């Protein structure tokens, strides 16, 4: 066991203890999270967490819960008797969740979700399943029944799937954790929606974001720190392009970790930031790793390991490691490995990261010039079946077959197979959205394709009932926005990736139209102003001729300005 962390057991639950003065701290960690759910049932773990904490009410001590991708934490800080009361209360509630509170907690979760902006990288990397679900709304919450929630809690929140950690002067007296027996759950399966890597996609946000999956090692942690220093030096200090350039390292607890890096950018600086970002990565990949940078990052890491409260801060992560069947490593071992690292070790991680990198570029920007392959926004095939042409001119066609549905346009298709449908979103007005496990989705709007009721019923029946999500009526504006059934990939919260890319192309075209017609209207208006002011003094032009020509010039100016006005209005609506 790690130095400073002692291993014991409470009521059959593995317990990690570290000595600390001051208020006692404790946490109960379960091996269950968002990645264990399905898209159609997303949010059930978060709902259990909320229900388990409800009976705590308002307390003078600090407590909370957190639902992560693969783990759920209940943590508390306070006096010894408060720790005991909190942990006992959580376990008691998990055994008998307050179902009278179910609908209220559902509303609270929807309110919480409204202020959350999930990242897009997980869904592009993993698809609409497993670790990719952290990018999606909690669509499953609305339809969950009491029995569903009880079954989930009984299967996952057990003493065999939990680890307790405590930081204090001693184990609290009278501690009792009454949880049902169960089984230690394996880590979530790792899926992939990327046929090749490194890959990229364009997003509406202005910055550059990248993540890479690497082996979880000390060298990889150092690589993340060196990467942050290089990005900050290049993009902020030297280039002045970014205000924030940072990186993060997150262990997935399965032998791998995710390195994430970010740099923000104003619109005028996006090209420079993207280019500079790629240059920094390329420099590390060819081995340009300064010894001084390595020493600086190593020094910070060693200071963290040897801090007086280091063992206490490692407890939550050590609990996750234990749940993942990865016994925490000793302090001496970690420090020895840290000081043995060389630039060559970090270089090896840079090469590994290059092979798994996923880059999020600003909207309208490409990264194929840097060796990144565009992440797929279409399927490699379309199903065969009944074809429905779009009512609107030049719209995509819908194909409904026995194995799935496809949208086809311009030789490309977006296809969702029934057997691989992660969720079917269903609205009372008849609209449907099928989301495949690969993240691709197809909008089915009957009115836009003239699809008959029998065909819609066939689609509904072909999708497994557990994948159907019944949603409330759409607002008029939302419904109009969804008309046309545009194909989209990487769906998260209603805006799909292919839809985003199409929007980016439209935005680029609109900008060009705005510039062209704006310039023409401006030049013509100058001509009209000049003639209006000076034309009346021309002795060869009568007053009637001057007035008629003036009206004509201003009319032409208005006609030239009108397309620019239309572009501005449509851009604002979008």
């Amino acid at each position: 066991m790690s130095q400073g962390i002692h291993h014991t057991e409470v009521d059959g639950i593995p317990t990690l203890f570290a000595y600390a003065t001051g208020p006692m701290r404790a946490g109960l960690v379960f091996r269950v999270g968002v990645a264990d759910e399905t898209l159609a049932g997303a949010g059930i773990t978060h709902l259990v967490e909320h229900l388990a904490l409800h009976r705590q009410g308002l307390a003078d001590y600090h407590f909370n819960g957190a639902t992560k991708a693969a783990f759920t934490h209940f943590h508390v800080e306070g006096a010894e008797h408060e720790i005991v009361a909190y942990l006992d209360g959580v376990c008691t509630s998990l055994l008998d969740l307050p179902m009278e509170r179910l609908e209220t907690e559902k509303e609270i979760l929807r309110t919480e979700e409204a202020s959350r902006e999930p990242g897009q990288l997980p869904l592009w990397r993993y698809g609409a399943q497993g670790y990719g679900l952290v990018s999606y709304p909690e669509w499953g919450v609305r339809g969950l029944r009491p029995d569903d929630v009880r079954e989930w809690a009984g299967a996952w929140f057990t003493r065999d799937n939990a680890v307790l950690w405590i930081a204090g002067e001693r184990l609290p007296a009278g501690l009792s954790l009454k949880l049902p027996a169960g089984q230690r759950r394996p880590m979530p399966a790792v899926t992939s929606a990327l046929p090749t890597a490194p890959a990229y996609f364009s997003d509406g946000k202005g910055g550059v974001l990248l993540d890479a999956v690497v082996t979880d090692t000390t060298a990889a942690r150092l690589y993340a720190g060196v990467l942050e220093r290089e990005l900050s030096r290049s993009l902020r200090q030297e280039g002045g392009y970014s205000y924030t350039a940072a990186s993060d390292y997150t262990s997935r607890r399965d032998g791998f970790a995710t390195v994430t890096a970010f740099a923000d950018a104003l619109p005028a600086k996006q090209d420079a930031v993207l280019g500079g970002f790629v240059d920094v990565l390329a420099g590390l990949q060819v081995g340009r790793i300064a010894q001084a940078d390595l020493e600086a990052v190593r020094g910070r890491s060693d200071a963290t390991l040897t801090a007086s409260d280091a063992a206490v801060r490692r407890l939550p992560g050590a609990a996750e490691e234990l749940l993942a069947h990865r016994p925490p490593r000793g302090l001496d071992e970690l420090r020895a490995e840290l000081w043995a690292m060389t630039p060559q070790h970090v270089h090896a991680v840079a090469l590994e990261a290059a092979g798994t990198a996923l880059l999020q570029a600003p909207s309208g920007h490409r990264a194929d010039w840097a060796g990144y392959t565009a992440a797929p926004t279409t399927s490699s095939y379309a199903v065969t079946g009944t074809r429905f042409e779009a009512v609107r001119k030049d719209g995509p066609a819908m194909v409904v077959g026995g194995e799935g549905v496809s949208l086809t346009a311009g030789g490309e298709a977006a296809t969702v197979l029934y057997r691989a449908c992660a969720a079917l979103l269903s609205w009372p007005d008849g609209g449907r959205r099928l989301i495949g496990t690969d993240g691709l989705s197809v909008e089915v709007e009957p009115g836009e394709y003239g699809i008959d009721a029998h065909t819609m019923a066939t689609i509904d029946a072909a999708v497994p009932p557990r994948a159907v999500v019944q949603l409330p009526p759409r607002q008029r504006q939302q419904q109009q926005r969804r008309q046309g059934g545009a194909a989209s990939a990487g769906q998260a919260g209603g805006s799909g990736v292919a839809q985003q890319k199409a929007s980016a192309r439209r935005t680029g075209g609109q900008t060009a139209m705005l510039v062209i017609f704006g310039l023409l209207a401006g030049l013509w208006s100058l001509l009209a102003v000049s003639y209006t002011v000076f034309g009346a003094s021309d002795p060869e032009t009568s007053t009637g001729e001057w007035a008629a020509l003036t009206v004509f010039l201003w009319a032409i100016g208005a006609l030239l300005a009108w397309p620019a006005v239309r572009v501005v209005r449509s851009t604002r609506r979008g």
Side-chain angles (χ1 to χ4, degrees):
M1 183 55 60
S2 299
Q3 181 176 333
I5 298 179
H6 306 281
H7 192 179
T8 183
E9 188 176 285
V10 175
D11 286 340
I13 297 176
T15 301
L16 304 177
F17 174 79
Y19 178 84
T21 58
M24 183 173 284
R25 282 160 282 179
L28 187 59
V29 187
F30 294 90
R31 221 310 288 140
V32 59
V34 179
D36 298 296
E37 302 170 349
T38 64
L39 182 57
I44 189 170
T45 308
H46 195 186
L47 182 57
V48 170
E49 175 222 311
H50 271 234
L51 289 169
L53 291 176
H54 168 65
R55 293 192 179 110
Q56 299 294 328
L58 297 176
D60 294 330
Y61 56 90
H62 173 73
F63 70 89
N64 210 337
T67 302
K68 302 168 63 177
F71 302 94
T72 298
H73 291 247
F74 296 95
H75 51 89
V76 59
E77 178 178 324
E80 184 173 325
H81 71 278
E82 292 169 333
I83 301 295
V84 171
Y86 172 82
L87 292 174
D88 178 73
V90 168
C91 293
T92 300
S93 288
L94 287 171
L95 285 170
D96 182 22
L97 292 169
M99 290 304 170
E100 72 279 2
R101 183 74 180 176
L102 183 62
E103 296 305 319
T104 301
E105 293 299 336
K106 288 182 180 182
E107 289 297 324
I108 292 174
L109 289 185
R110 285 196 285 271
T111 302
E112 182 180 340
E113 183 177 270
S115 61
R116 187 168 57 236
E117 292 187 11
Q120 301 297 297
L121 286 166
L123 70 88
W124 283 89
R125 180 176 292 281
Y126 302 109
Q129 56 185 328
Y131 287 98
L133 296 184
V134 298
S135 293
Y136 286 84
E138 294 176 335
W139 278 318
V141 167
R142 189 181 299 272
L144 289 173
R145 301 165 301 176
D147 286 347
D148 300 326
V149 181
R150 290 192 188 98
E151 183 180 353
W152 188 262
W156 293 89
F157 291 86
T158 66
R159 66 169 177 262
D160 297 295
N161 201 38
V163 167
L164 172 69
W165 63 264
I166 297 173
E169 296 182 5
R170 61 183 176 274
L171 287 176
L175 185 60
S176 177
L177 305 175
K178 301 302 182 184
L179 287 172
Q183 58 179 312
R184 178 67 58 83
R185 298 285 184 157
M187 293 297 289
V190 178
T191 58
S192 177
L194 292 177
T196 59
Y200 82 95
F201 66 95
S202 297
D203 186 78
K205 298 179 177 59
V208 177
L209 188 62
L210 174 137
D211 80 6
V213 177
V214 297
T215 306
D216 188 6
T217 61
T218 298
R221 291 180 183 274
L222 292 174
Y223 167 76
V226 170
L227 175 59
E228 179 171 301
R229 287 178 65 86
E230 286 291 333
L231 288 172
S232 297
R233 178 186 296 116
S234 176
L235 301 180
R236 177 168 178 166
Q237 294 178 352
E238 297 176 357
Y241 306 135
S242 293
Y243 172 73
T244 300
S247 70
D248 181 65
Y249 185 90
T250 303
S251 173
R252 214 168 57 191
R253 310 297 184 193
D254 61 354
F256 293 89
T258 301
V259 175
T260 306
F262 169 75
D264 56 8
L266 293 172
K269 302 288 187 179
Q270 289 175 358
D271 285 332
V273 170
L274 178 58
F277 198 108
V278 169
D279 286 346
V280 167
L281 294 172
L284 296 177
Q285 290 161 24
V286 298
R288 290 203 298 267
I289 298 164
Q291 184 70 38
D293 285 339
L294 175 58
E295 295 301 337
V297 175
R298 188 191 346 245
R300 290 201 306 268
S301 297
D302 190 62
T304 299
L305 287 173
T306 57
S308 59
D309 63 343
V312 173
R313 287 191 290 168
R314 291 205 308 274
L315 282 171
E320 292 185 356
E321 293 277 8
L322 201 57
L323 283 168
H325 300 282
R326 289 163 52 90
R329 301 168 66 192
L331 176 61
D332 292 341
E333 181 185 0
L334 290 173
R335 292 194 69 202
E337 187 172 283
L338 177 66
W339 288 101
M341 292 297 102
T342 66
Q344 288 71 35
H345 290 103
V346 178
H347 178 214
V349 178
L351 294 176
E352 182 183 11
T356 65
L358 175 61
L359 180 74
Q360 177 178 310
S363 180
H365 289 72
R366 302 172 63 91
D368 46 1
W369 54 269
Y372 292 80
T373 302
T377 59
T378 58
S379 304
S380 58
Y381 63 93
V383 299
T384 57
T386 305
R387 182 181 178 91
F388 298 88
E389 299 294 340
V391 173
R392 60 188 177 90
K393 186 179 180 181
D394 299 327
M398 175 77 64
V399 180
V400 180
E403 57 178 345
V405 297
S406 296
L407 275 180
T408 62
E412 294 185 337
T415 297
V416 176
L417 300 178
Y418 300 133
R419 67 173 183 271
C421 183
L424 183 150
L425 307 185
S426 175
W427 288 276
D429 59 19
R432 302 288 187 268
R433 180 187 302 148
L434 289 85
I435 304 173
T437 53
D438 60 359
L440 287 170
S441 70
V442 173
E443 302 272 1
V444 183
E445 297 289 349
E448 287 296 310
Y449 297 95
I451 302 177
D452 57 273
H454 174 74
T455 301
M456 293 302 299
T458 300
I459 294 174
D460 289 343
V463 175
R466 64 181 180 275
V468 178
V469 179
Q470 300 290 343
L471 293 175
R474 295 181 285 189
Q475 296 178 0
R476 181 178 180 84
Q477 185 179 10
Q478 291 176 326
Q479 186 174 356
Q480 290 174 344
R481 198 174 288 150
R482 290 189 174 96
Q483 294 300 314
S488 60
Q491 192 75 29
S495 64
V497 176
Q499 211 165 9
Q500 293 168 3
K501 289 198 172 185
S503 175
R505 290 192 295 268
R506 289 196 300 269
T507 301
Q510 289 170 342
T511 302
M513 289 177 60
L514 180 61
V515 171
I516 293 171
F517 282 102
L519 286 173
L520 289 173
L523 292 172
W524 195 271
S525 296
L526 286 175
L527 176 62
V529 168
S530 299
Y531 187 81
T532 302
V533 174
F534 301 109
S537 60
D538 187 348
E540 297 183 1
T541 304
S542 67
T543 301
E545 291 174 335
W546 170 81
L549 190 53
T550 297
V551 171
F552 173 75
L553 290 173
W554 282 108
I556 295 298
L559 289 174
L560 289 172
W562 178 242
V565 173
R566 288 290 300 275
V567 169
V568 171
R569 290 177 62 185
S570 65
T571 302
R572 288 178 176 173
R573 285 197 300 269

